[in-house]
């Protein structure tokens, strides 16, 4: 029987870590039970493993007992890493034994799946250099600063590359679990687990949940001033040429510095700031789409809809219907 190992961090974790551990365990055990019910052998042994016999969470409010010590596991087929605390550098330091064991197992052929901020553990081990990955949208800026060699995809809910799966975060780890059930069991088992746990199947984006605040931790004063200007001129149509001229920087150099600092081109950043403001208006007011569009500097409804959909994954009308029930009434 093959083995799936769910890691239990010893500290440097939160109640979200517990949710990831328990949720992963329950979904996989249900997948095993489904196979047994249809007359097939259970394909995987599911175990919780760590560096101690039990781990405490939230100042001892909850404890999770492990079934094995990682030192005693010579081979496993899949390792699932739950979310970690927001002090990522501290989490990396505190979970060094787990990180090193994960790296060794990956070299030995194991696949890896990280949930939410568990991605930081994979990145700190150098396993994501040059690869695409996802993490919680609120951790994207910190992740880019710590791991510039990794190709972060902040809009993605799930990435799958070279035997490493990563997940956008929050309770969307359940979507990752359904994805893994389809990979490791089959489509029918994934559909069954989706229905039993009422988890949406085939969801691929976290764009609709993202709150764009802009990367501000970079230390480039000129770019910070440009960001502040963009954010203060929501109702205006701003060209990159005007921006670079305003700060007396050549267009090419301006673009290069802006992308390096924020992870977005000046145009992408401007679009994201404007659409974030539009989202707030659609969530909290009864303004119609045209009114919102004009307030954020768009005059062409088709262009506004296209940019809105590109960033959020839905149309302005769909977004308002989802997040503003009063406006619908």
């Amino acid at each position: 029987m093959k083995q799936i190992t769910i890691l239990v961090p010893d500290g440097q974790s939160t109640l979200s870590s517990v949710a990831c551990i328990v949720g992963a365990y329950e979904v996989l055990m249900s997948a095993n039970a489904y196979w047994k019910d249809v007359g097939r052998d259970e394909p995987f042994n599911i175990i919780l493993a760590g560096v101690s016999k039990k781990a405490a969470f939230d100042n001892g409010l909850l404890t999770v007992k492990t079934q094995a010590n990682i030192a005693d596991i010579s081979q496993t087929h899949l390792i699932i890493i739950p979310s970690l605390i927001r002090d990522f550098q501290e989490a990396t330091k505190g979970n060094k034994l787990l990180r090193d064991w994960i790296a060794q197992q990956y070299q030995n052929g194991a696949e890896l799946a990280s949930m939410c901020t568990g991605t930081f553990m994979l990145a700190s081990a150098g396993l994501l250099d040059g690869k695409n990955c996802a993490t919680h949208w609120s951790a994207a800026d910190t992740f880019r600063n710590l791991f510039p060699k990794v190709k972060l995809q902040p809009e993605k809910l799930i990435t799958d590359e070279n035997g490493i799966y990563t997940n956008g975060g929050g309770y969307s780890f359940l979507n990752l679990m359904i994805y893994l059930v389809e990979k490791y069991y089959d489509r029918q088992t994934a559909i069954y687990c989706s229905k039993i746990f009422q988890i949406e199947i085939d969801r691929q984006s976290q764009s609709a949940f993202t709150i764009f605040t802009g990367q501000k931790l970079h230390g480039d004063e000129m770019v910070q001033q440009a960001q502040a200007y963009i954010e203060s001129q929501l109702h205006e149509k701003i060209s990159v040429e005007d921006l670079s001229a305003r700060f007396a920087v050549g267009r090419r150099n301006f673009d290069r510095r802006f992308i390096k600092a924020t992870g977005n081109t000046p145009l992408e950043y401007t679009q994201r700031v404007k659409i974030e403001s539009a989202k707030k208006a659609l969530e909290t007011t009864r303004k119609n789409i045209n009114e919102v569009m004009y307030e954020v500097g768009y005059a062409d409804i088709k262009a506004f809809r296209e940019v809105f959909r590109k960033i959020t994954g839905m149309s302005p009308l769909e977004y308002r219907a989802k997040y503003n029930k009063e406006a619908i009434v």
Side-chain angles (χ1 to χ4, degrees), residues 3 5 10 15 18 22 39 55 103 126 133 155 169 182 195 199 208 213 231 234 257 262 294 308 324:
Q3 180 169 298
T5 303
D10 190 12
L15 290 178
V18 180
V22 174
C133 83
E155 77 286 353
E182 181 169 358
K195 291 180 176 180
I199 304 166
T213 57
E231 291 164 12
L234 288 176
R257 285 174 64 177
T262 69
Y294 291 134
F308 196 97
N324 191 339

Side-chain angles (χ1 to χ4, degrees), residues 84-314:
L84 300 171
I85 60 171
R86 290 287 166 156
D87 187 345
F88 307 112
Q89 289 168 309
E90 183 66 24
T92 297
K93 181 173 63 178
N95 287 300
K96 186 177 184 304
L97 288 175
L98 290 179
R99 184 193 66 189
D100 293 348
W101 180 78
I102 289 168
Q104 184 60 54
Q105 288 294 321
Y106 183 64
Q107 287 183 2
N108 293 342
E111 292 196 324
L112 311 174
S114 69
M115 298 169 165
C116 192
T117 49
T119 312
F120 283 74
M121 185 180 288
L122 294 181
S124 69
L127 298 174
L128 295 177
D129 288 354
K131 297 185 180 71
N132 294 294
C133 83
T135 193
H136 197 286
W137 58 260
S138 66
D141 289 350
T142 304
F143 188 95
R144 284 195 191 97
N145 282 332
L146 289 176
F147 308 110
K149 295 180 181 179
V150 182
K151 300 175 183 176
L152 181 63
Q153 305 291 321
E155 77 286 353
K156 294 286 189 181
L157 191 75
I158 296 167
T159 65
D160 175 349
E161 187 173 352
N162 297 117
I164 297 179
Y165 311 92
T166 66
N167 159 241
Y171 280 74
S172 70
F173 76 84
L174 292 168
N175 299 99
L176 173 64
M177 290 313 304
I178 297 300
Y179 184 86
L180 292 173
V181 167
E182 181 169 358
K183 279 268 185 174
Y184 276 76
Y185 294 78
D186 54 32
R187 176 71 175 181
Q188 195 57 46
T189 308
I191 292 172
Y192 169 81
C193 289
S194 172
K195 291 180 176 180
I196 287 293
F197 294 104
Q198 299 186 38
I199 304 166
E200 185 179 351
I201 198 167
D202 294 333
R203 191 180 138 217
Q204 293 292 319
S205 174
Q206 61 174 328
S207 295
F209 300 94
T210 302
I211 301 173
F212 184 72
T213 57
Q215 158 68 293
K216 304 289 178 62
L217 305 176
H218 47 75
D220 188 323
E221 186 175 348
M222 183 277 291
V223 174
Q224 288 173 340
Q225 290 176 2
Q227 289 174 279
Y229 180 77
I230 291 168
E231 291 164 12
S232 69
Q233 304 293 318
L234 288 176
H235 57 289
E236 298 290 342
K237 185 175 181 179
I238 303 172
S239 74
V240 181
E241 289 77 11
D242 290 343
L243 272 176
S244 60
R246 172 175 287 273
F247 295 99
V249 178
R251 168 66 190 271
R252 183 175 296 180
N253 189 36
F254 181 82
D255 283 353
R256 181 187 61 78
R257 285 174 64 177
F258 202 98
I259 294 169
K260 181 180 179 182
T262 69
N264 296 119
T265 67
L267 176 60
E268 288 169 343
Y269 192 90
T270 301
Q271 289 176 338
R272 286 184 174 275
V273 168
K274 287 176 178 292
I275 296 305
E276 190 61 35
S277 181
K279 285 163 57 182
K280 292 287 195 305
L282 293 171
E283 291 168 12
T284 60
T285 75
R286 290 178 176 267
K287 293 174 182 176
N288 63 41
I289 303 302
N290 282 345
E291 288 175 309
V292 172
M293 175 186 75
Y294 291 134
E295 283 186 356
V296 297
Y298 282 87
D300 182 339
I301 188 65
K302 182 181 178 182
F304 177 66
R305 285 174 180 155
E306 286 177 354
V307 174
F308 196 97
R309 184 177 289 279
K310 181 181 74 172
I311 290 174
T312 68
M314 59 182 73

Side-chain angles (χ1 to χ4, degrees), residues 75-91:
Q75 184 180 25
T76 187
H77 294 82
L78 173 66
I79 300 169
I80 295 175
I81 302 135
S83 63
L84 300 171
I85 60 171
R86 290 287 166 156
D87 187 345
F88 307 112
Q89 289 168 309
E90 183 66 24

Side-chain angles (χ1 to χ4, degrees), residues 43-79:
F44 295 102
N45 180 35
I46 319 297
I47 66 166
L48 306 184
V51 296
S52 56
K53 292 183 178 180
K54 64 180 180 179
F57 299 86
D58 202 35
N59 296 317
L61 176 65
L62 297 171
T63 59
V64 175
K65 182 180 178 182
T66 58
Q67 297 161 297
N69 191 295
I70 57 170
D72 299 324
I73 301 174
S74 59
Q75 184 180 25
T76 187
H77 294 82
L78 173 66
I79 300 169

